[in-house]
Amino acid sequence: MYTNLRYLLFFALIFCFVCQSAQSQETQNPESRENNINRSDSLKVPDAGFSVLSLIDTTKVDTVQITPEYLEDNIIHRSKDYLSNDFINQRATLYDEAELYYQDIELKAGKIIIDYKNSLAIATGIFDSAGAYIQRPQFTQGRQASTQDSLIYNFENKKALIYNSRTEQQGMIITGDVSKKENDSTFYINRARFTTSQKENPDYYVQTNNIKIVPDSKIVGGMSNLVISDVPTPLILPFFYSPLTSGRASGFIIPTWGQNNNQGYFLQNGGYYFAVNDYFDLAILGDIYTNGSWGLRAESNYNLRYKFSGNFSFRYENLINSQKGFPDYSKANNFFIRWSHSQSATSNPTSRFSASVNFGSSSFFQESINEASSPFYLTNTFASSVSYYKKFVGTPFNLNASATHTQNTNTERIDMNLPSLVLNMDRIYPFAPKSGSKKNPIQNIGVTYAMNAQNRISTTDEEFGTAKMFDEAQTGIRHDISMSTNAKVLKFVSLAPTIVYKDVWYFKTIDRYWDDEINEVVTDTVNGFDTYREYSAGISAGTTIYGMFNFKKGRLKAIRHVMRPAISYSYRPDFSQYYDEYQASIDPEDIREYSRFQNGLYGAPSKNESSSIGMSLNNTLEAKVEAKDAEEDDEPRKVKILNNLNLSTSYNIAADSLNWSPLRMTAGTAILKNKLALNLNATMDPYAINANGSKINEFNINNGGSLLRLTNANFTANYSISSKELKDKKSKGDSGSDPNSESASNMFGESLTARNQQINTDQEDVKKATLFKTVMPWDVRLRYSLTYNNTRAQNEITANSLQVSGNIEFSPKWRVGISSGYDFRNAGITYTQLRFERDLDSWRFSFNWVPFGDRATYYFFIGIKSGPLSDLKYDQRKVPDRRLF
């Protein structure tokens, strides 16, 4: 009887287990099966090592009562070595490369124990044959992943207890002794250490006893201590807070502190960053000084894909020097606006809008005590342009409306066009055949038209923004119509006749006369429409002549000389009808001429007849040179001897004196494999000068001088080379970088904070140093300039300087740079900047120093590279001590 009951109970148990497994297979979500990386959802495929386990509702084994448990989904698991099921204790053990998948949870470990009775998963690593602890548990839920020594997870309340965990949150690596996972959005960690260093033994970490982590939101902790190389530092914070965001986030910007002799202690560049949306941001920054000076800055970037992008910056500074009551007390208010806007080429093919604005107080960069850019400080001219272009489809017309600005910071002169409107008509051919090519000069006649309307304002810093700046505004409209054609004569000469007509409209002219009451010349402004017209005609002829000199011996195979001579003739009649006379002094016979249009925007009409012949000659010279190790089928290499040698002058037949214009010459070449660029331009006058330095109608050679008198010349030499270019021997004849393209920012140094603004990235670029055959990369840029002036026989060198800028890496983590020069004319060292940079793996150090001059300053920085802890830094800047006035 007892035996029969045992058999009956055994078969009942098997029947219940089979029914439960069948029910589990029927109710499992098919989509869930597909999303589990090809895992089987049935016990029927033991070869794959996968199975689906569900809890048993009601089963009795001897006297052990199994309490019903419920899970929201099936548990899918796999292991490499073995899977052990303990039905009595309701446990399953997976060993070696064990994997468990439950809803959005993935758990991989060396060993996983599934406790169905208590709805727990226990994961640990395993020991290999050498006793090393391997296959540490890797827990992933959604986008959150962590690695730990062991963990316990509860399927019901979704809480977990984690030991010695390591997780990464938005680039920040967090480790802790014991971690408690409350849900899928909150973690508590005891004795937490967080860092951005990727090393197993990190360079630094911030240690906090207890922290709370809300993924993709924030990290909040208590008393925190910065530890560097496992050594605690005195830097202790009462609390720790770090935002965790996957995109942009608003937040405070930590200021830089310092001190200078004039303004006292200060805080600079502190403020708030507004992440407005995905297309637009805004940063409001401020400066404050203990003597009452202050500054405000607003910076914004915007970008709408396939439409436009740009950035805007506004800076205002209220600077006070010394204290009230002292004789050196002064005050200055300066501002500067910078705006750059560009439109995508795909946005609108028929119209585009662009802007490049650099406008502000002329003394801004000279007086600002929060300007780190050396190039801007050394620049004395600024220009702006805001333009809109529109092409009228189906017509030859296009419109360009713009507002421009030029500013000289030395003279404080400001010239603006507000606005400028240009209407152009593309060249049309009124006599061209309706089909086929243009075969004769008549059919090739082309006509162009352009209308230029401007409102020009010239003012100074002092008058800018006042009503006075508009009093001298110049307004005018000019119409230009030209008609030209071209033809071939004598097979090799191109002939191009041209006729030009100009019509100028003014809305303001002048009237000049002698006032007997005040005994002086009076110039009145006459408001009203007035116009004048001019026309001229000309013809030009040009050709190209090739000369080849071949050599049979040596590596030099040939020299080719290309000459492009051109001669032109232009005629413009006398337009004296637009000129009037006035008495210039108390002497009634002191009569002079003037034009009522002479103060106009486009000037006055030409008074004297002009019949001028122009001549020019352009030359290039190049050679073919065979390489030293060239093979028979190798082509000779082309080498330019002269990039250009251009000469031009003219002769005015109608002039009664000084018929010849000065001869202008430009020449340029590049030697040393195109690394040394040499450029020369000069002006030579055939006429002599008198004792007062004025030109006279006598040839210089007839006055005891040379054929041509050198009046001014400029010579520049640019040289650029680097160790990388010297080692690159793969491409023969590679010219490398263009030495003529060196900008002022390269020659005079870079912004003091430029390199530090590039380190706030989520990825740390750690350089590796090699101790054997270590190379030291370097680069050098040289620029020599010489200017000579002899216009009035002063025989003077007005500029003579040498500039040098270079960098050298003593090791992959040490970089030193210098930008300096010497002024031979004034016998002094030019603007000098020294740069020192050190890569400290997770950290970065830099020191930029201007040792002397009016802008003597330095900037020291050491900080963490990675963005999440970029505010963990120390920077110190010395503001240049200089007076405002």
Side-chain angles (χ1 to χ4, degrees):
M1 182 66 179
Y2 178 75
T3 304
N4 293 334
L5 289 175
R6 283 194 307 166
Y7 283 120
L8 183 61
L9 181 61
F10 176 75
F11 285 113
L13 180 63
I14 294 177
F15 177 77
C16 292
F17 179 79
V18 171
C19 293
Q20 182 68 24
S21 299
Q23 181 182 3
S24 173
Q25 296 178 13
E26 292 175 358
T27 59
Q28 185 176 6
N29 187 351
E31 296 182 357
S32 175
R33 294 197 301 267
E34 294 177 1
N35 294 331
N36 285 293
I37 58 170
N38 298 324
R39 293 185 293 273
S40 174
D41 60 348
S42 171
L43 290 174
K44 295 186 293 182
V45 277
D47 294 340
F50 287 98
S51 63
V52 179
L53 301 183
S54 299
L55 296 176
I56 302 173
D57 292 335
T58 55
T59 303
K60 292 182 179 180
V61 179
D62 292 336
T63 60
V64 179
Q65 177 69 36
I66 306 299
T67 305
E69 303 287 349
Y70 298 94
L71 295 179
E72 297 177 358
D73 204 348
N74 296 314
I75 301 175
I76 301 174
H77 57 80
R78 181 184 73 172
S79 63
K80 180 180 180 181
D81 195 339
Y82 66 82
L83 167 64
S84 174
N85 286 307
D86 185 350
F87 296 107
I88 297 177
N89 296 315
Q90 297 187 34
R91 281 194 172 192
T93 303
L94 297 86
Y95 190 82
D96 194 5
E97 297 185 8
E99 298 180 13
L100 182 149
Y101 301 92
Y102 175 73
Q103 293 183 340
D104 62 340
I105 294 174
E106 295 183 8
L107 178 60
K108 298 179 181 180
K111 180 180 179 182
I112 300 177
I113 299 175
I114 306 174
D115 188 341
Y116 298 105
K117 182 177 181 180
N118 300 307
S119 300
L120 299 177
I122 305 168
T124 63
I126 60 177
F127 293 93
D128 60 8
S129 58
Y133 194 64
I134 61 174
Q135 298 187 28
R136 298 174 185 268
Q138 298 179 5
F139 182 84
T140 305
Q141 184 172 16
R143 296 182 301 171
Q144 307 300 323
S146 64
T147 303
Q148 46 273 318
D149 286 351
S150 60
L151 68 85
I152 302 174
Y153 181 78
N154 191 306
F155 293 103
E156 287 186 347
N157 56 27
K158 298 182 179 181
K159 295 182 179 181
L161 196 62
I162 305 170
Y163 298 91
N164 294 329
S165 65
R166 177 187 172 92
T167 183
E168 183 172 349
Q169 298 287 334
Q170 305 298 333
M172 189 178 299
I173 300 172
I174 305 170
T175 60
D177 293 348
V178 180
S179 305
K180 183 179 180 182
K181 179 180 178 295
E182 284 293 323
N183 46 55
D184 59 355
S185 61
T186 305
F187 292 84
Y188 294 94
I189 302 179
N190 183 32
R191 291 187 59 80
R193 297 171 295 277
F194 41 91
T195 180
T196 58
S197 176
Q198 299 288 340
K199 296 180 179 179
E200 183 176 352
N201 185 19
D203 299 327
Y204 79 98
Y205 56 86
V206 178
Q207 181 170 300
T208 305
N209 289 334
N210 295 287
I211 66 170
K212 176 182 178 180
I213 302 177
V214 180
D216 296 330
S217 179
K218 59 188 174 182
I219 300 177
V220 181
M223 187 74 71
S224 303
N225 181 218
L226 176 64
V227 180
I228 300 177
S229 297
D230 294 327
V231 178
T233 67
L235 183 58
I236 299 176
L237 300 175
F239 66 91
F240 178 85
Y241 175 85
S242 178
L244 295 176
T245 55
S246 56
R248 291 180 175 176
S250 302
F252 290 97
I253 300 175
I254 306 301
T256 301
W257 65 274
Q259 180 267 341
N260 79 328
N261 294 338
N262 292 330
Q263 282 73 36
Y265 293 96
F266 60 78
L267 293 175
Q268 289 181 339
N269 303 321
Y272 197 84
Y273 174 80
F274 298 90
V276 182
N277 52 42
D278 293 337
Y279 314 104
F280 169 74
D281 67 356
L282 176 64
I284 303 296
L285 306 174
D287 311 326
I288 186 170
Y289 306 82
T290 54
N291 78 328
S293 301
W294 57 274
L296 183 65
R297 184 163 77 253
E299 297 178 351
S300 176
N301 295 278
Y302 56 90
N303 190 343
L304 185 59
R305 185 178 295 181
Y306 309 123
K307 293 293 185 180
F308 54 80
S309 63
N311 57 77
F312 177 82
S313 172
F314 172 75
R315 299 181 62 178
Y316 182 85
E317 293 185 357
N318 179 25
L319 302 180
I320 300 173
N321 185 67
S322 186
Q323 297 291 332
K324 285 186 177 181
F326 286 85
D328 60 343
Y329 174 79
S330 58
K331 186 176 181 180
N333 297 314
N334 296 320
F335 75 96
F336 204 85
I337 298 174
R338 193 175 288 134
W339 178 33
S340 176
H341 178 93
S342 60
Q343 180 177 307
S344 174
T346 60
S347 175
N348 192 331
T350 62
S351 66
R352 61 177 179 267
F353 177 80
S354 62
S356 176
V357 176
N358 296 279
F359 174 72
S361 304
S362 296
S363 58
F364 180 85
F365 292 103
Q366 282 70 35
E367 296 180 354
S368 174
I369 53 179
N370 188 17
E371 177 53 49
S373 174
S374 298
F376 285 132
Y377 169 73
L378 299 172
T379 299
N380 57 12
T381 57
F382 292 99
S384 304
S385 175
V386 179
S387 63
Y388 173 76
Y389 171 84
K390 175 65 177 178
K391 173 67 176 178
F392 298 99
V393 180
T395 71
F397 294 97
N398 60 79
L399 179 69
N400 193 336
S402 64
T404 61
H405 145 265
T406 57
Q407 181 177 358
N408 189 307
T409 59
N410 290 335
T411 62
E412 297 187 356
R413 191 72 183 174
I414 301 174
D415 296 315
M416 297 178 291
N417 285 328
L418 300 174
S420 175
L421 186 66
V422 179
L423 177 66
N424 286 310
M425 183 186 74
D426 297 334
R427 184 180 296 273
I428 61 173
Y429 300 90
F431 305 107
K434 295 182 179 181
S435 60
S437 61
K438 300 180 283 293
K439 298 181 179 180
N440 56 62
I442 301 298
Q443 295 178 347
N444 206 34
I445 291 177
V447 179
T448 62
Y449 167 76
M451 184 199 73
N452 189 321
Q454 293 186 30
N455 180 44
R456 182 174 298 173
I457 299 174
S458 295
T459 185
T460 62
D461 274 17
E462 184 179 357
E463 297 177 355
F464 179 79
T466 64
K468 190 176 180 180
M469 65 178 285
F470 299 98
D471 294 340
E472 302 297 329
Q474 296 175 309
T475 305
I477 302 175
R478 187 180 70 188
H479 306 268
D480 294 294
I481 302 175
S482 66
M483 183 170 59
S484 63
T485 186
N486 60 78
K488 285 282 187 181
V489 296
L490 302 177
K491 293 184 179 181
F492 303 108
V493 179
S494 296
L495 201 65
T498 303
I499 298 175
V500 177
Y501 174 82
K502 181 171 68 173
D503 190 359
V504 178
W505 297 354
Y506 284 139
F507 302 94
K508 187 185 298 184
T509 56
I510 64 171
D511 181 23
R512 184 170 294 174
Y513 59 92
W514 175 261
D515 192 330
D516 293 326
E517 294 183 0
I518 60 176
N519 288 330
E520 65 179 28
V521 177
V522 176
T523 302
D524 289 337
T525 300
V526 180
N527 294 317
F529 178 78
D530 206 345
T531 180
Y532 73 86
R533 299 165 186 83
E534 280 187 321
Y535 52 86
S536 62
I539 187 171
S540 63
T543 187
T544 302
I545 302 174
Y546 297 91
M548 182 74 73
F549 304 91
N550 297 313
F551 301 90
K552 296 182 179 180
K553 296 182 180 181
R555 294 174 52 206
L556 181 61
K557 297 302 180 182
I559 293 179
R560 189 177 75 161
H561 181 202
V562 181
M563 296 184 294
R564 294 180 174 85
I567 186 170
S568 62
Y569 172 77
S570 63
Y571 175 79
R572 186 185 62 239
D574 183 7
F575 295 98
S576 298
Q577 66 270 24
Y578 295 112
Y579 282 78
D580 300 307
E581 295 181 345
Y582 72 98
Q583 181 181 331
S585 66
I586 197 172
D587 184 4
E589 295 183 0
D590 185 9
I591 303 299
R592 301 180 187 180
E593 290 185 336
Y594 81 100
S595 173
R596 62 185 184 275
F597 304 104
Q598 65 186 34
N599 290 347
L601 183 63
Y602 304 105
S606 303
K607 177 184 176 183
N608 299 317
E609 179 186 11
S610 174
S611 179
S612 179
I613 299 175
M615 293 160 284
S616 65
L617 177 63
N618 299 338
N619 299 269
T620 59
L621 198 65
E622 58 184 11
K624 286 188 175 182
V625 181
E626 189 179 64
K628 292 182 179 180
D629 54 351
E631 299 180 359
E632 294 183 359
D633 56 345
D634 289 345
E635 289 290 332
R637 181 168 54 93
K638 289 184 179 181
V639 178
K640 282 193 174 184
I641 301 175
L642 274 177
N643 293 337
N644 63 82
L645 175 58
N646 304 329
L647 303 169
S648 64
T649 186
S650 62
Y651 182 82
N652 190 352
I653 302 173
D656 55 0
S657 63
L658 303 175
N659 303 82
W660 286 98
S661 65
L663 176 67
R664 292 175 174 83
M665 181 196 72
T666 60
T669 187
I671 59 176
L672 301 179
K673 295 185 178 180
N674 289 341
K675 299 199 179 300
L676 177 59
L678 305 175
N679 294 282
L680 173 67
N681 60 78
T683 303
M684 293 163 282
D685 201 318
Y687 295 101
I689 57 176
N690 57 22
N692 297 325
S694 300
K695 190 187 299 186
I696 59 177
N697 189 31
E698 184 176 355
F699 289 113
N700 193 56
I701 192 172
N702 297 332
N703 198 35
S706 58
L707 176 62
L708 297 173
R709 180 174 55 89
L710 181 63
T711 57
N712 56 70
N714 177 259
F715 172 76
T716 60
N718 296 280
Y719 183 75
S720 175
I721 193 171
S722 66
S723 58
K724 181 180 179 181
E725 294 175 352
L726 290 179
K727 292 193 300 181
D728 188 8
K729 299 181 179 179
K730 296 182 180 180
S731 56
K732 297 180 180 180
D734 184 13
S735 61
S737 59
D738 184 5
N740 283 319
S741 65
E742 301 300 335
S743 62
S745 60
N746 290 330
M747 296 307 302
F748 295 101
E750 58 189 24
S751 173
L752 297 179
T753 61
R755 303 285 295 179
N756 303 330
Q757 295 170 355
Q758 301 172 6
I759 71 170
N760 294 335
T761 58
D762 292 336
Q763 300 296 328
E764 297 178 9
D765 183 16
V766 179
K767 296 182 178 180
K768 295 183 179 180
T770 56
L771 300 180
F772 181 66
K773 292 183 179 180
T774 301
V775 296
M776 291 190 294
W778 54 268
D779 61 87
V780 175
R781 296 173 297 277
L782 298 170
R783 182 176 184 178
Y784 175 74
S785 177
L786 175 67
T787 303
Y788 172 78
N789 193 351
N790 192 37
T791 307
R792 304 178 66 87
Q794 62 267 46
N795 192 24
E796 180 185 13
I797 294 178
T798 57
N800 185 12
S801 63
L802 174 67
Q803 297 291 330
V804 59
S805 181
N807 302 281
I808 183 171
E809 292 187 14
F810 292 112
S811 73
K813 298 185 179 183
W814 260 113
R815 182 174 182 264
V816 177
I818 182 174
S819 297
S820 186
Y822 188 79
D823 189 338
F824 296 98
R825 182 176 181 271
N826 298 313
I829 298 176
T830 63
Y831 181 85
T832 300
Q833 183 189 85
L834 302 175
R835 301 178 294 274
F836 304 90
E837 300 175 15
R838 176 71 164 119
D839 187 341
L840 301 172
D841 292 341
S842 301
W843 298 67
R844 185 179 175 280
F845 152 82
S846 70
F847 179 69
N848 293 335
W849 182 29
V850 179
F852 46 79
D854 292 339
R855 196 166 173 80
T857 183
Y858 68 80
Y859 183 78
F860 173 83
F861 175 89
I862 184 170
I864 294 176
K865 291 181 179 179
S866 185
L869 293 178
S870 60
D871 286 331
L872 192 58
K873 63 181 180 179
Y874 174 81
D875 53 351
Q876 177 69 37
R877 180 185 175 192
K878 177 184 179 298
V879 175
D881 291 322
R882 59 181 185 273
R883 296 179 182 272
L884 299 180
F885 304 102

